[in-house]
Amino acid sequence: MFVEYTWLVPLVPAICFILVGFFGNKFDKHNGGGYLAIFGVAFACVLSVLISIEFFTSEAYSDPGYVTQQFTWFVFPGGFEINIGYYVDTLACLMMMFASFISMLIFIYSLGYMHGEGKRKRRYFAEVALFVTGMLGLAISSNFLEMFIFWEIMGLCSYLLIGFWSFSHPDGDDKADNAASAAKKAFLVTRLGDVSLMAGLFVLLFAFKSLDYTVVFDAANIASVDHNLIILASLLIFGGAIGKSAQFPLLDWLPDAMAGPTTVSALIHAATMVKAGVYLVARCFPIFCEASSVLLLVAIIGGVTAFFAATMALNNMNIKKVLAYSTLSQLGYMFLALGAGGYMIALGIETGDTALIAAGSLGYTAGCLHMVNHAFFKALLFLCSGSVIHSTGTEDMREMGGLDKKMKITSITMLIGSLSIAGFPFFAGFWSKDLILEQTLHASQFGAAGWVFLVLWILAIITAFMTAFYMFRMWYMTFRGPEGKNSKHCHGESPRSMTIPLMILSVFAFGFGFVLFFGFDSLLCIEIEHGQFRVGGGEAEGFEYLVDFFTNVWTYVTIALVLLAIYIARAMYSKRTIDPAKFNKNGESWLYKALTKRWWFPYMYDQISWKLGYGVARGVEYVDKNIVDGTVNGLSNAVVGSGDLMSKAQTGNVNNYAAVVMGGIVVLFVAIIALFFFMGGL
């Protein structure tokens, strides 16, 4: 009943985008069409829940594990057929529900946060409605081309929204220029990944003659296709995920994207955009698991990104950038989990070890659970930072401090978000992060590349320590200690339209992880029967997870590291019993400078752009001037020269004209005879 209306999930926000874009100020003069945008995403949220309930209680959930409906869009010569439609399975339901729900709360929050933007609110609400349309359309797409179209819609919207203040910034022209540069950087860097993804889709189309999920993910079709083509397609598709989810080495655009409004940052980091890369890898598991080397690469990229991004957050003074680096790091955890789990599944398929396949499925569960947990606590943290910035007028944490008395709700909810992302026991982030660490260590016991996972596990443990430290450094610098310059002029707590979403999100940031113990883990697993992958439908372990967690000695090691990190942060930035300057030589140590310069990633980007981009541009300019323009100019000169030459033949003498005509007839006759001769006609 509801599933057949799945197409309405992205369509209603898309209609709201059009209505708000053209008539937003007429419908809702004070909010620029904000209530209409909220209605659109709220409709999508309610419908997503109804669709999910219907699907989970249907026979299709068990077999074949999905519901799909599509029609032919167009057909290429040679039998290539492109369809358009929807594909509903557990992963799609998960993405629809959390993306629409969190986006709805961010839209409501935006009513208060963006109230001073005047007529520009119409543009803002139109663009965020289209942004959510892109994410929801991507979640329900039934084939890769449809998915790619929505993928690009999100890329366009991220460019527009990051550069929202590029024409006029409340803090001056320099900030406006910064926003414009950040938007261009995000657009260009993510395009590199998009080109890789598009190339991967061409390989899939060549190999499978179709881009439909039901065709590409079918076990019999996979077995009949050249294995090397599948590996090539998987690597190219993962390149797209690296760009969209800002993983190493295409990670530097995301911190700069903080130049946009904080609500945009919350959308990009929590509900849309960067989650698309994780979703893509999770969606493509049936082909990724054809080669353990591909999953090993996924895990390495994730583990390295998690570690390096965490180091860059350690000494940053901008509250939004600290959260941006934490996003990079947490996304790295998700890729690490998917890589570790997929690696075990791939090895299990190669060796026929069903126990190893089942163990690998837990890695998939860990990655998906952390994706949802992260969406809740990251949205909460960004909106809390927006509340602080809204009241103090600064993003610099050195100008904050002592805000807990003036902003109690923001202080408490941000503390809940910080505890969750730090992996503090019993908060949502604790369960998923501990499961990721457990699966990474488990993967180290198998295959020739097992030692790589041991190294990644060590990096992940250190990352957990750093995460707890920099998150509580941020919280203590913002809410505790002496008041900073801007704290003295704080406006107090934010309006209800901003604080109510914070309170709702804090409930999920604390409690969503408990879904593991009430049978919902069966929805987040991946099952493999006779080579056929199916998301969900596994056996629920319930409270067995609880036993596993607290009988594992490494769980206590992680908890001890988290508590130690929080203690050190408190001693440095609240009690002031430890001077941070002693560790960084007052900012003069090599490591401190390296972290401040973001491991020279911006410099590397500039050099590549200058050396490679400039060289390519010079080459293009040469071709344009000397070949394209040269050819056109040569043809025009030839025409002009011919005209001049022919004009000299205009003598006005009839005898001359008759001689030319006769000569032409003779030449034509000889040419025809020669043609017959060479064609064998004579």
Side-chain angles (χ1 to χ4, degrees):
M1 179 181 174
F2 294 109
V3 172
E4 59 193 66
Y5 294 102
T6 302
W7 50 276
L8 283 174
V9 171
L11 182 63
V12 172
I15 292 171
C16 291
F17 152 69
I18 296 170
L19 293 176
V20 172
F22 284 102
F23 311 109
N25 287 332
K26 292 183 179 177
F27 285 152
D28 185 4
K29 187 176 179 181
H30 296 292
N31 295 296
Y35 284 109
L36 190 57
I38 292 169
F39 165 77
V41 74
F43 178 90
C45 180
V46 172
L47 185 58
S48 299
V49 172
L50 295 173
I51 290 169
S52 300
I53 292 172
E54 183 177 314
F55 172 70
F56 293 144
T57 55
S58 69
E59 293 182 357
Y61 172 67
S62 302
D63 186 23
Y66 61 85
V67 174
T68 185
Q69 187 172 358
Q70 53 187 2
F71 61 87
T72 302
W73 190 4
F74 52 85
V75 179
F76 290 111
F80 295 101
E81 191 174 89
I82 300 297
N83 299 312
I84 187 167
Y86 62 80
Y87 181 94
V88 175
D89 69 345
T90 304
L91 186 60
C93 291
L94 194 67
M95 296 295 291
M96 281 193 296
M97 286 192 290
F98 88 75
S100 57
F101 178 68
I102 292 174
S103 298
M104 180 181 67
L105 294 177
I106 293 172
F107 284 17
I108 294 170
Y109 179 96
S110 298
L111 292 175
Y113 188 79
M114 301 295 286
H115 77 280
E117 293 300 321
K119 291 185 177 180
R120 289 195 297 181
K121 282 184 286 189
R122 177 179 62 86
R123 176 191 154 196
Y124 169 82
F125 280 110
E127 290 173 356
V128 293
L130 185 62
F131 204 3
V132 174
T133 298
M135 189 63 190
L136 295 175
L138 179 140
I140 67 159
S141 295
S142 64
N143 61 72
F144 281 101
L145 180 61
E146 190 181 343
M147 180 277 298
F148 186 71
I149 292 170
F150 287 110
W151 178 280
E152 288 302 312
I153 288 174
M154 277 196 294
L156 170 66
C157 291
S158 66
Y159 168 75
L160 295 172
L161 287 166
I162 292 168
F164 182 76
W165 284 323
S166 59
F167 296 105
S168 174
H169 197 287
D171 295 334
D173 292 341
D174 289 342
K175 291 281 187 179
D177 292 342
N178 185 41
S181 298
K184 283 185 282 188
K185 187 174 186 178
F187 189 79
L188 292 173
V189 174
T190 54
R191 289 290 76 71
L192 294 175
D194 293 356
V195 170
S196 176
L197 173 58
M198 189 164 60
L201 301 192
F202 278 123
V203 175
L204 283 182
L205 185 62
F206 174 76
F208 290 91
K209 313 296 182 194
S210 172
L211 290 175
D212 292 348
Y213 293 159
T214 51
V215 175
V216 176
F217 298 151
D218 183 78
N221 292 335
I222 291 173
S224 65
V225 169
D226 185 348
H227 194 70
N228 292 324
L229 284 178
I230 293 180
I231 293 175
L232 176 61
S234 301
L235 291 173
L236 290 170
I237 289 171
F238 182 54
I242 287 174
K244 208 62 145 188
S245 293
Q247 294 294 285
F248 182 87
L250 303 179
L251 77 175
D252 200 57
W253 67 268
L254 194 59
D256 288 348
M258 297 301 99
T262 305
T263 46
V264 172
S265 304
L267 267 181
I268 291 176
H269 290 246
T272 60
M273 190 75 173
V274 297
K275 294 293 191 306
V278 182
Y279 166 82
L280 183 63
V281 173
R283 172 59 75 204
C284 294
F285 241 49
I287 56 174
F288 274 48
C289 288
E290 283 296 296
S292 58
S293 56
V294 174
L295 277 310
L296 179 63
L297 177 66
V298 172
I300 290 172
I301 293 292
V304 169
T305 306
F307 178 80
F308 275 100
T311 61
M312 289 187 271
L314 291 173
N315 67 345
N316 202 293
M317 295 298 176
N318 185 298
I319 189 170
K320 286 177 67 179
K321 289 195 173 180
V322 171
L323 294 177
Y325 288 120
S326 75
T327 297
L328 295 174
S329 186
Q330 299 303 308
L331 288 168
Y333 269 129
M334 295 170 214
F335 283 112
L336 177 59
L338 293 173
Y343 176 78
M344 287 189 280
I345 291 174
L347 288 182
I349 292 173
E350 290 172 10
T351 59
D353 187 341
T354 54
L356 192 54
I357 294 174
S361 176
L362 278 179
Y364 190 90
T365 304
C368 291
L369 180 62
H370 201 60
M371 180 173 67
V372 184
N373 282 340
H374 178 263
F376 286 121
F377 59 65
K378 186 49 57 75
L380 172 62
L381 289 166
F382 262 112
L383 297 188
C384 285
S385 73
S387 178
V388 171
I389 295 166
H390 186 262
S391 292
T392 61
T394 182
E395 298 177 8
D396 192 333
M397 294 187 293
R398 290 168 293 193
E399 296 174 353
M400 300 176 188
L403 288 171
D404 57 336
K405 295 176 183 174
K406 297 179 178 178
M407 305 181 72
K408 281 191 176 299
I409 295 175
T410 303
S411 170
I412 293 170
T413 52
M414 198 162 195
L415 177 62
I416 292 171
S418 299
L419 288 168
S420 190
I421 193 175
F424 195 84
F426 306 111
F427 283 72
F430 167 74
W431 307 112
S432 52
K433 189 177 291 185
D434 204 75
L435 199 55
I436 291 171
L437 295 172
E438 184 183 321
Q439 291 307 302
T440 306
L441 186 60
H442 195 190
S444 70
Q445 301 171 19
F446 305 101
W451 64 272
V452 176
F453 284 97
L454 184 61
V455 173
L456 294 175
W457 176 77
I458 293 170
L459 290 180
I461 287 280
I462 298 171
T463 302
F465 171 82
M466 289 191 291
T467 304
F469 173 77
Y470 68 68
M471 288 307 302
F472 275 85
R473 168 181 174 269
M474 180 196 72
W475 191 82
Y476 282 120
M477 286 185 74
T478 305
F479 295 104
R480 292 293 176 88
E483 289 188 345
K485 184 177 70 175
N486 284 54
S487 296
K488 294 174 182 174
H489 307 290
C490 173
H491 300 157
E493 191 55 271
S494 298
R496 284 187 177 181
S497 62
M498 294 172 67
T499 54
I500 289 176
L502 299 184
M503 290 186 279
I504 295 172
L505 284 168
S506 64
V507 173
F508 287 90
F510 169 71
F512 190 81
F514 287 100
V515 299
L516 269 181
F517 311 120
F518 296 96
F520 286 92
D521 57 312
S522 65
L523 301 176
L524 299 170
C525 68
I526 191 161
E527 292 288 303
I528 305 160
E529 292 181 9
H530 309 298
Q532 199 71 40
F533 284 67
R534 186 183 74 233
V535 182
E539 186 177 345
E541 294 192 25
F543 285 94
E544 289 182 22
Y545 281 113
L546 205 58
V547 177
D548 290 341
F549 281 132
F550 290 105
T551 55
N552 185 346
V553 65
W554 293 113
T555 301
Y556 295 98
V557 171
T558 311
I559 292 173
L561 287 173
V562 168
L563 294 177
L564 177 63
I566 294 173
Y567 172 79
I568 294 172
R570 181 171 178 266
M572 283 184 172
Y573 300 102
S574 179
K575 295 297 181 183
R576 310 292 174 111
T577 53
I578 299 176
D579 183 6
K582 288 183 180 178
F583 296 92
N584 59 39
K585 298 180 181 176
N586 292 313
E588 295 300 321
S589 71
W590 175 87
L591 181 60
Y592 189 88
K593 289 180 179 177
L595 298 181
T596 304
K597 293 180 179 178
R598 296 152 61 170
W599 293 108
W600 293 279
F601 271 105
Y603 176 77
M604 183 182 72
Y605 276 42
D606 289 344
Q607 288 300 307
I608 291 174
S609 301
W610 180 250
K611 302 289 184 185
L612 181 62
Y614 184 69
V616 171
R618 289 287 302 272
V620 171
E621 183 189 26
Y622 177 83
V623 171
D624 185 48
K625 278 187 175 179
N626 296 283
I627 297 179
V628 178
D629 287 354
T631 303
V632 173
N633 293 336
L635 287 172
S636 64
N637 290 335
V639 171
V640 171
S642 302
D644 291 342
L645 184 64
M646 294 301 293
S647 67
K648 293 176 181 175
Q650 303 297 317
T651 62
N653 190 324
V654 177
N655 291 333
N656 291 344
Y657 294 156
V660 171
V661 171
M662 287 301 295
I665 291 172
V666 170
V667 170
L668 185 62
F669 180 75
V670 171
I672 292 171
I673 295 296
L675 183 63
F676 271 95
F677 178 77
F678 286 110
M679 297 295 289
L682 293 176

